[in-house]
Every structure is written in structure tokens, then in C-alpha cells.
Amino acid sequence: MIFQNLLMEIMLLFLIAEIEGEKYLFKKYDEKCDSNRKLVIDKFENITYDKVNAFPVGNFFIDGENRGYLSKYYEGAVNFSDPLSFIIPYDVRYQATLDVSSQLRFLHENGVIANDIRLANNLISFRERCGVMIDFEDMILESNYVYRPSYYHFYLDDNHLVFASPTKLDDVKKQFVCNTSLLLGKDLESVIMKREGLFLDMFSFDQDIYDFTRTLFYSEEMLYFDEIAPKFQDEEKVKNYIKE
């Protein structure tokens, strides 16, 4: 998707624009986004995801240079770490976790590793009652990845971190952290970065959730959050989880 240079310069200044009645966010590439990363974003021009999302919808070119990409703008949305996200009605938060889980499945089905899933890169919109993944510059193709440490890891060897190439398994682990943080109203991302064992212990309030978490983090089995999500659907039960 190529736009005229004048429009591009306006977008660079304001970052948000309305095109054919739809608001879009312009995301400018930073220095770390090399040509391989941009090729992954280009992939979205040829695949369609009909559900709610903020996936890239096209590139911005200025003077022939690919400067960034467009994605749908969700006005008033906040990220999963924002204190405001924890006061959004529970049914909206729950739906947001299902939305981002569906989006991640879609990426994986198309051979894409998200590679940068964290609280700050998931948004919840009270206005549109949904959740969306954002910031896709770190996406890599599973068939053509290069080594690059991602935001946090789950590989332990004699209590020392062992860095490894990103995988889909990393994605689902990180998404579990983000989704449970949103539903329980706690920053579990900080917990797991300090001590993984402490994170696991926090789910001892329910045997099924505990077993799911242990399997996810200590085996090679791919488990998406939506598989355990029904255990979090009842707000009253979750309130009891939090008390425990």
C-alpha cells in the first residue's frame, strides 16, 4: 500500500490518520528493524484475518524508502500493564485474552513467530470490547529466523539463563503470562522475570491451572491460553483465586 509523499509527511508528524473512514496508526520502523523483519510484515498483504486485530495492513514509503507500516488504531485502548486495564469490566478483559490468543494462533498457523509478546504489546479496548496484539517489528518467520534474544526467557540450566533462538513455544508462554496478569490484576511479568518457580507457585489455587502452567513451562507441549481460559471465565471464582 503506497501513499503520496505529502500524506506520508503529515502522518509522520501526527502518527494517526483517517483513511476512508477508518483510523490508522502509523508505526515508524526503528533502527533494529532490518530488511528481513520488513519482509515478514509484507507477508500480511497476502493473508487475511477477519476477526478483530491490529495486524499490519500496508507499508509507508517516502522517497522510495520503506519507513513503517499501518495498522488499525483503537482509540482509548490501554496496554495490559496499564493500571486502567485492571478496572475495565471483567467480561471485557476476559474477551481480550481470547482475542489475543486467536491472533497468536493465526500468526503461528502462517509460520510467523511474534517474538515480542509482553504486557506493553497487548492492548485492551473498552470501547470496542476487544484485545489486540501490537508492535510487530520483531516478528520472524519460523522457517527463516536469526538468533536474537527476546524480551524474557524460560530456559533454565543450573539456575542460569540459557539464551536460545525464539520459538512459537516462547510466544505461548509469554502470552499466558500477559493474559493471566490482565485477569488477575497483577504484574506477573515482573514475577516470572525474578523467579520462575515463584510464578508457578502462584497458580496452586487450582489444580487444573497449576498442571496446565507446569506443562506449558516445563515441557515442549504447545498450549494456547484459550485452552485453559474457561477456568478464568467466572469472575467470582477469579476473585477467590486472587484472595488465595
Side-chain angles (χ1 to χ4, degrees):
M1 186 184 299
I2 304 175
F3 298 86
Q4 296 297 321
N5 282 359
L6 178 60
L7 178 59
M8 299 303 96
E9 296 296 349
I10 294 174
M11 286 290 290
L12 282 173
L13 291 174
F14 294 99
L15 299 180
I16 299 170
E18 188 168 315
I19 303 172
E20 297 181 353
E22 190 80 66
K23 283 189 176 181
Y24 289 90
L25 173 71
F26 169 68
K27 178 66 176 179
K28 185 179 180 180
Y29 291 131
D30 57 27
E31 295 180 356
K32 70 181 180 181
C33 191
D34 56 23
S35 58
N36 288 329
R37 297 285 198 271
K38 294 175 183 178
L39 286 175
V40 182
I41 291 176
D42 289 343
K43 181 182 177 73
F44 283 81
E45 293 186 3
N46 300 314
I47 56 179
T48 301
Y49 180 75
D50 295 327
K51 300 178 182 179
V52 60
N53 71 91
F55 291 143
V57 295
N59 292 308
F60 265 107
F61 290 85
I62 299 179
D63 296 329
E65 181 183 356
N66 188 352
R67 297 285 296 276
Y69 66 89
L70 281 170
S71 62
K72 182 179 176 182
Y73 176 65
Y74 290 81
E75 189 169 356
V78 296
N79 69 52
F80 280 18
S81 66
D82 193 309
L84 290 175
S85 69
F86 301 141
I87 63 174
I88 290 175
Y90 189 80
D91 62 325
V92 180
R93 282 187 279 155
Y94 181 73
Q95 182 59 49
T97 66
L98 298 182
D99 290 336
V100 295
S101 293
S102 177
Q103 292 157 23
L104 183 60
R105 280 183 181 272
F106 174 77
L107 291 181
H108 288 175
E109 288 167 358
N110 284 276
V112 175
I113 298 173
N115 191 35
D116 194 22
I117 295 177
R118 47 193 172 108
L119 292 175
N121 285 345
N122 287 279
L123 298 184
I124 177 171
S125 171
F126 173 67
R127 177 177 298 184
E128 302 198 37
R129 304 179 67 83
C130 68
V132 292
M133 298 171 61
I134 61 170
D135 284 356
F136 301 100
E137 298 94 300
D138 284 332
M139 290 190 304
I140 51 179
L141 295 177
E142 185 179 27
S143 59
N144 188 34
Y145 65 73
V146 293
Y147 169 77
R148 180 181 180 278
S150 51
Y151 190 71
Y152 51 90
H153 291 270
F154 309 96
Y155 306 94
L156 296 177
D157 181 15
D158 295 327
N159 296 319
H160 295 286
L161 287 174
V162 177
F163 293 103
S165 298
T167 67
K168 291 180 179 179
L169 186 57
D170 287 338
D171 281 352
V172 293
K173 289 177 180 178
K174 293 175 183 179
Q175 191 180 72
F176 180 88
V177 175
C178 293
N179 287 347
T180 51
S181 292
L182 181 67
L183 296 178
L184 297 177
K186 298 178 181 293
D187 180 3
L188 300 183
E189 190 174 71
S190 297
V191 174
I192 195 169
M193 290 176 69
K194 291 178 181 177
R195 187 158 69 87
E196 187 173 304
L198 176 62
F199 174 81
L200 180 63
D201 290 342
M202 295 186 70
F203 295 95
S204 59
F205 53 73
D206 184 278
Q207 190 63 48
D208 290 337
I209 298 175
Y210 181 86
D211 291 343
F212 180 94
T213 307
R214 186 170 185 82
T215 300
L216 176 61
F217 284 88
Y218 294 99
S219 77
E220 296 299 314
E221 188 173 352
M222 284 282 294
L223 297 173
Y224 290 87
F225 180 78
D226 54 21
E227 297 176 52
I228 196 65
K231 296 288 292 187
F232 292 91
Q233 188 170 11
D234 188 321
E235 183 177 6
E236 291 305 313
K237 285 186 177 180
V238 172
K239 287 180 179 178
N240 289 330
Y241 294 162
I242 295 172
K243 290 178 183 177
E244 295 180 36

